[in-house]
Amino acid sequence: MLSRDCEASGLQRLLASAASSAGASLLLEGGIGSGKSYLMRVAVRTARAAGFDTISLRARPSGPALTCDVLRQLKTAEGASAGPPAGEPDTPDAAAGRLDQLIGALTPRTPLLIAVDDLHWADRRSLCWLERLMARLEGLPVALLATIAPGLAPRRAATARGDDPARGDDGTTALARVVSDFHQRTVLSGLDLDAVGYLLNSFFGRPVADALVQACHRATGGNPLLVHALLRELRRAGTVTEPTCEQIGSLGSVEVAQTVAARFEERFPGVGRALDSVAVSVRAGTAALVADLVGISRTEAADMLHTLVLCGVLQRTREGVAFAQPMMRVSFLAALPPSEHARLHTAAAHALHASAAPAREVVHHLRHATRIGERWAYRLLFDSACAALSRHDLGEARTLLERCFQEGEAGDQPELLRRLSRVLLSADAPATAVSRLRALPRPRNGGDTAALATLVNLVQATALDGDLNGARHALRTALADLGPLDPAQEPAAGARALLGVLTLITGGNGTPLPVPVDPTAVRTPWVRCAQATLSALAAWAHGGRREEVVRYARTGLSEPDDPSDVPTTPLRLLLAQLLCDAGHHDEALDACRVLAAEAREEGAHTMAALAQTVLAACGYKAGRLSEAARAARTALAEGPPGIWVGSGMARCRLGGILLETGDLDGARRLLLDDLALIELPATALPDLLFHRGRLNGTLGRTQAALADLEECGRKLPDGMYHQARCPWRSAAAALYAEAGDTATAERLAREELELARAWGAPHAVAAALHTLALVTRGGRRAPLLNEAAELLQDSGAWLEQARVLRSLGHELRLLRKNRQAREQLRAALALAEKCGAWALVAALRDDLASAGARPRRGAETGLDALTPAEHRTALLAAEGLTNKEIADRLYVTRRTVELHLSRVYRKLSVSGRTDLPAAVAEQFADPGRRSLRRVDTTMGPPDRPVCSMTLRPAS
């Protein structure tokens, strides 16, 4: 009786009226599964417990008359017989008269409940008897309870089951008169959220999430039949833990479909097939579509759908009719055999195309249909696939393109292969993409655009799988088989540029120069991007021309990504990495964030994970350790399974990041204990050796660390690009210096500095100067450290700047310049906290304590580091007030305001007043921060009213 308080009260009033000899009647109306029959059974049990005699009846379309059922159930009083007297005919009219006599004999002594289930199926003469009974009900201790499903009144022949042919009465008129005579009429609604939640809690034996309750209520509409069927399906599935909302939405019950179809089969033969046709429809079914699929007239189909709407199985929409509850549709789909499912979709596609229905509806059916074999089917599927690619829906595009292969002709294959290969590269795991792309045709000439695009995608997938040398060899061989290439053929020029990129990355010989194509004449974006990438790498490899590298990198990153052509995400991520290596950290990070968001929105899981991997690398180099760690974990969690370049690089870089944050156990698990490192791609091996060497050095394993670092140097291909990727010489030089081998340490440090100066990136030169200062004896350290600190001033490499400032602070202490040393150490501590380098933070706090600085409570940087007075000053300055206005508002001197602001600038790491609004706005973007409301008042005298301040940008 969950969610049935009003109905229960109505039943109690019905029985109370009968007990007081004031007969009453109640009609319960509801659709299939609304709980009408259950409520009637509850009423019968309640009446029996109250001393009532009860008669329970259930009408059937082809069953006996209700009067005969009543005679069989009645218990006679004082020798009265339930059968007809001797000589009296056993006819319905005679039975009705005998029934009136027996009721009259019973009711003076005991109240009576007559319960009639499915009143809509009753025959005309039984309805006439009920009508006669209700006419004199108020003088009898009789309660009449009936249930009815709207719209199910039978339309049978007038001569059937005792109807009067002279009157032309088919039973519906009598039913309408009886229904109108009921004293009360209650329409049953579905269970509410609380009732569904109670049932779910009882099922799982514990409270469940509100989202799960809402999902169940949404799927079933609160219909009791569907709710209990859903719980049975959960039990059949052996569900122990709470399912997800998506799993709830996918549950269907075959028995529900069979029950609903059986209820209507006698009235509408073929109703099951009609409901199947509605279930496979994309949005809603129509009478025309149902008639075509079932093979009946449109009038019959319209009547059938109208009745199903009245009974609550279907509901009307703007397009036609649809299932009232989502679970009902899923149930009919679950009961549909695969062959019938495909047949219905095929027939629906034909019917909708013939009626000029919208293309999306036809395509919905074509996706699941058997082969149509007509050109219109291919065109609709191909156009829809192109539209899916344009809106970056790779999953839908893959399904439609694979379906296009069944409908297309031989001439359609190249274009389909080109588009499908993009989807495979972007969404599949690299190993899976390689295996599928290898089966596709190879180019026959330099103008074979589609086949060359497929070849380029295969090469990129092979490289992502970790086999860069194999990718280079496959592309070189394929291009050699084509013979001399015309530079004006853009796909061939793009393939040649990609070959040059692979050759430079792998350090191979015979590096091809960029194809001499006029950039203004190149129309294909991916070809322009490939040529820009090759030009950037060549500028670095052949002289380290950093300005050219940055210019070509920006050019390639600005190229649009055509969703129907070769994906350029790997090339653009390589360009972002070059920007980071050139010292443009923020620009590189922004590019990686954009590429990761685009790939995630597109559903390109492989590209999204690769973008997160490069974001982790750039974030690590820039000192954004928290963001870098999140990116690396996202790449490992959301990327394709197995070991590939992205997962290998992310694992190694995450280990290096954890080392900086002080999580040695986490770094050890990733870099030393992880068995998956055995299968690490060769291209990620230098990264593993570099970070593992640093970890071993931190753990005091000097020999193992040096062995790893020197092996890293041997594994790295030649070229400045790779040497900048893993600066193993600097790490090894520090270890050699600790071991006492200063000559080797200084040699490695000078080699690193020479490479860094040839490249020219400020952060790289500063890092090399820092290493050289650490391994250099005598008084030459201070100039090296000062030069490094000056280079890092505006470089954006926060972590390296914090390390250099710490070393400079140590050097100043040795020169007995303690005040300057503390300033440098405090600046280093602020940067280390900003980076999230907690191992360095702990060391710097010890350094400050040793330098005589007073220990600070709480954070050294950020909003939490501000004192209440600094908070107030920062907020007023962010509002645009001048120093004089702030001083007047806070009743302090202007000099005090200036001192507060200088500390605010340092703690918030901003350059001046114009940056304050954005810095203070972080308070409101992060609810977990300490509230600023406690300082949002003026510090006036006690009698002044408190004025709240509103944050606004400075004008």
Side-chain angles (χ1 to χ4, degrees):
M1 297 295 289
L2 293 172
S3 191
R4 292 287 185 253
D5 294 340
C6 294
E7 290 80 358
S9 298
L11 293 176
Q12 292 290 346
R13 288 194 299 270
L14 175 72
L15 297 178
S17 297
S20 61
S21 297
S25 56
L26 172 63
L27 180 65
L28 300 177
E29 178 183 338
I32 301 296
S34 58
K36 307 183 300 297
S37 299
Y38 179 78
L39 281 171
M40 192 189 74
R41 292 194 296 271
V42 169
V44 170
R45 290 196 298 268
T46 304
R48 287 174 180 167
F52 278 63
D53 282 334
T54 60
I55 301 175
S56 297
L57 308 173
R58 188 169 188 179
R60 284 288 178 266
S62 57
L66 291 180
T67 51
C68 297
D69 283 345
V70 174
L71 285 172
R72 279 193 294 270
Q73 291 185 43
L74 274 174
K75 295 180 179 179
T76 60
E78 297 183 358
S81 174
E88 183 178 323
D90 189 9
T91 62
D93 288 340
R98 180 66 175 160
L99 178 62
D100 289 341
Q101 296 175 12
L102 293 177
I103 290 177
L106 282 176
T107 52
R109 295 175 303 175
T110 307
L112 175 66
L113 171 67
I114 302 176
V116 182
D117 198 10
D118 291 341
L119 180 63
H120 47 271
W121 293 125
D123 62 287
R124 187 186 63 82
R125 290 184 176 173
S126 297
L127 291 171
C128 291
W129 167 71
L130 286 173
E131 185 180 7
R132 186 168 65 236
L133 174 65
M134 294 174 70
R136 57 191 184 91
L137 195 61
E138 294 182 3
L140 297 174
V142 176
L144 177 60
L145 175 65
T147 67
I148 189 172
L152 275 187
R155 294 185 178 275
R156 47 186 175 267
T159 57
R161 302 181 61 208
D163 294 340
D164 188 355
R167 298 175 55 190
D169 191 355
D170 63 356
T172 56
T173 304
L175 178 62
R177 291 197 303 268
V178 171
V179 168
S180 65
D181 285 343
F182 274 88
H183 297 147
Q184 299 177 56
R185 186 171 178 178
T186 300
V187 178
L188 300 182
S189 59
L191 303 178
D192 58 21
L193 275 173
D194 291 338
V196 174
Y198 176 82
L199 292 173
L200 284 171
N201 294 340
S202 300
F203 178 82
F204 286 103
R206 61 183 181 278
V208 299
D210 291 341
L212 183 63
V213 176
Q214 293 170 2
C216 292
H217 191 271
R218 187 166 51 250
T220 62
N223 184 288
L225 173 69
L226 296 181
V227 173
H228 288 285
L230 186 144
L231 295 178
R232 286 194 297 273
E233 291 302 317
L234 289 175
R235 192 174 300 281
R236 287 192 185 101
T239 303
V240 178
T241 59
E242 292 182 19
T244 63
C245 296
E246 291 76 13
Q247 290 171 331
I248 290 294
S250 65
L251 283 177
S253 172
V254 175
E255 65 186 56
V256 167
Q258 293 171 344
T259 299
V260 172
R263 294 281 182 93
F264 298 93
E265 187 65 34
E266 185 165 347
R267 172 78 184 274
F268 298 110
V271 68
R273 289 181 296 158
L275 289 170
D276 290 340
S277 65
V278 176
V280 301
S281 299
V282 56
R283 284 194 177 182
T286 62
L289 179 61
V290 171
D292 290 340
L293 298 186
V294 180
I296 58 178
S297 69
R298 294 193 176 186
T299 302
E300 291 178 294
D303 289 345
M304 183 188 303
L305 296 180
H306 176 71
T307 300
L308 292 170
V309 169
L310 290 178
C311 293
V313 177
L314 302 178
Q315 63 181 357
R316 296 199 180 276
T317 65
R318 289 188 301 176
E319 294 84 5
V321 295
F323 282 95
Q325 300 90 13
M327 185 182 173
M328 191 76 78
R329 176 177 182 267
V330 178
S331 298
F332 274 91
L333 290 176
L336 201 60
S339 59
E340 182 66 11
H341 188 272
R343 186 197 69 78
L344 282 173
H345 278 295
T346 304
H350 278 289
L352 291 173
H353 175 68
S355 63
R360 57 181 175 76
E361 297 185 16
V362 183
V363 169
H364 165 76
H365 294 287
L366 287 175
R367 293 172 79 251
H368 307 283
T370 56
R371 186 176 186 273
I372 301 294
E374 298 182 23
R375 194 62 184 168
W376 62 265
Y378 172 79
R379 292 309 314 172
L380 285 175
L381 287 167
F382 182 76
D383 292 344
S384 298
C386 294
L389 285 173
S390 299
R391 65 175 182 267
H392 305 296
D393 188 352
L394 293 187
E396 178 71 3
R398 179 209 295 266
T399 301
L400 294 174
L401 288 171
E402 291 176 342
R403 181 70 179 84
C404 282
F405 277 99
Q406 301 176 28
E407 299 290 347
E409 301 173 353
D412 303 322
Q413 298 293 319
E415 188 63 22
L416 289 176
L417 292 173
R418 181 166 72 94
R419 295 175 187 271
L420 182 60
S421 64
R422 174 190 174 90
V423 175
L424 295 175
L425 171 62
S426 300
D428 278 357
T432 305
V434 168
S435 64
R436 298 191 64 180
L437 290 170
R438 278 178 179 162
L440 302 182
R442 292 289 171 267
R444 297 181 296 274
N445 55 69
D448 195 349
T449 302
L452 275 168
T454 303
L455 174 64
V456 169
N457 289 333
L458 170 62
V459 169
Q460 292 194 84
T462 305
L464 292 179
D465 197 33
D467 189 5
L468 269 70
N469 289 315
R472 183 188 64 178
H473 175 73
L475 184 55
R476 185 187 296 277
T477 303
L479 292 178
D481 292 342
L482 296 179
L485 297 176
D486 183 358
Q489 294 174 327
E490 294 187 8
R496 287 286 301 273
L498 180 60
L499 178 58
V501 170
L502 289 172
T503 304
L504 288 172
I505 289 177
T506 56
N509 297 322
T511 303
L513 295 176
V515 180
V517 176
D518 183 6
T520 60
V522 177
R523 299 181 303 275
T524 310
W526 79 264
V527 175
R528 292 198 300 265
C529 184
Q531 290 180 336
T533 306
L534 176 57
S535 299
L537 283 173
W540 192 341
H542 301 152
R545 301 186 295 272
R546 189 166 63 94
E547 293 78 8
E548 290 186 29
V549 173
V550 172
R551 176 164 55 86
Y552 284 124
R554 288 171 175 165
T555 300
L557 284 170
S558 66
E559 293 294 340
D561 186 27
D562 187 349
S564 64
D565 215 334
V566 174
T568 58
T569 301
L571 293 175
R572 290 192 287 169
L573 287 171
L574 178 58
L575 294 174
Q577 181 77 61
L578 294 179
L579 275 179
C580 182
D581 292 338
H584 297 272
H585 303 295
D586 291 334
E587 190 175 353
L589 288 170
D590 288 341
C592 291
R593 295 184 191 113
V594 170
L595 290 171
E598 289 177 352
R600 189 181 302 109
E601 180 183 358
E602 187 180 11
H605 306 297
T606 300
M607 296 297 108
L610 186 65
Q612 293 288 351
T613 299
V614 178
L615 177 60
C618 295
Y620 172 77
K621 189 160 291 188
R624 280 65 161 178
L625 298 184
S626 298
E627 183 180 14
R630 285 196 304 271
R633 290 191 172 100
T634 301
L636 293 173
E638 300 180 4
I643 298 295
W644 58 293
V645 166
S647 63
M649 293 288 193
R651 181 174 282 105
C652 297
R653 285 161 183 169
L654 181 58
I657 294 166
L658 295 181
L659 180 60
E660 298 292 350
T661 60
D663 185 2
L664 296 183
D665 291 337
R668 184 186 292 110
R669 285 193 298 270
L670 286 168
L671 299 175
L672 294 176
D673 302 338
D674 195 344
L675 296 178
L677 296 174
I678 299 173
E679 303 175 0
L680 201 67
T683 185
L685 188 57
D687 291 81
L688 170 64
L689 293 169
F690 175 69
H691 292 293
R692 193 172 72 184
R694 294 176 55 247
L695 174 61
N696 279 325
T698 304
L699 296 175
R701 305 170 182 171
T702 305
Q703 294 303 319
L706 289 172
D708 282 338
L709 293 171
E710 289 175 352
E711 183 64 17
C712 171
R714 287 189 288 269
K715 293 290 184 182
L716 280 172
D718 295 332
M720 285 186 289
Y721 165 73
H722 298 284
Q723 300 304 317
R725 168 181 153 195
C726 296
W728 65 273
R729 291 180 179 84
S730 294
L735 291 173
Y736 275 117
E738 289 180 8
D741 190 350
T742 55
T744 303
E746 190 168 347
R747 175 179 60 80
L748 290 174
R750 292 189 181 281
E751 289 177 3
E752 189 71 41
L753 180 59
E754 182 181 354
L755 290 170
R757 289 194 187 280
W759 171 230
H763 70 281
V765 176
L769 287 170
H770 182 207
T771 302
L772 183 60
L774 292 178
V775 301
T776 299
R777 295 180 177 179
R780 294 176 294 170
R781 291 183 178 180
L784 294 173
L785 292 173
N786 282 321
E787 182 182 357
E790 185 176 351
L791 286 170
L792 290 170
Q793 188 65 39
D794 298 316
S795 67
W798 298 344
L799 183 57
E800 190 60 42
Q801 187 178 3
R803 291 169 177 159
V804 169
L805 292 178
R806 183 193 182 203
S807 297
L808 184 57
H810 289 173
E811 188 66 21
L812 290 171
R813 282 195 62 201
L814 293 176
L815 297 175
R816 299 186 183 278
K817 299 179 180 181
N818 290 331
R819 185 177 61 80
Q820 295 94 325
R822 287 193 293 269
E823 289 179 359
Q824 299 298 335
L825 291 174
R826 284 199 180 97
L829 179 58
L831 286 168
E833 288 179 337
K834 192 174 179 181
C835 293
W838 305 118
L840 183 58
V841 167
L844 281 164
R845 284 177 176 163
D846 292 341
D847 293 341
L848 279 168
S850 301
R854 289 185 301 171
R856 289 183 179 270
R857 293 182 179 180
E860 289 282 341
T861 61
L863 289 169
D864 292 336
L866 301 181
T867 64
E870 292 166 354
H871 268 290
R872 290 189 289 270
T873 305
L875 286 175
L876 292 173
E879 286 187 344
L881 274 67
T882 65
N883 288 358
K884 182 178 184 304
E885 291 171 335
I886 297 173
D888 293 341
R889 182 77 64 88
L890 299 180
Y891 294 91
V892 295
T893 64
R894 190 182 303 181
R895 175 60 180 165
T896 302
V897 173
E898 293 172 354
L899 291 174
H900 285 335
L901 285 177
S902 65
R903 297 190 189 102
V904 167
Y905 298 154
R906 178 180 62 80
K907 292 180 180 180
L908 297 184
S909 300
V910 297
S911 58
R913 186 185 297 265
T914 57
D915 297 329
L916 272 180
V920 178
E922 295 178 6
Q923 167 72 34
F924 307 100
D926 186 358
R929 283 190 180 275
R930 183 182 59 179
S931 175
L932 289 178
R933 295 187 182 275
R934 62 183 181 84
V935 296
D936 284 356
T937 58
T938 58
M939 299 296 292
D943 57 342
R944 282 189 59 176
V946 175
C947 301
S948 110
M949 299 193 306
T950 303
L951 184 65
R952 64 176 185 269
S955 57

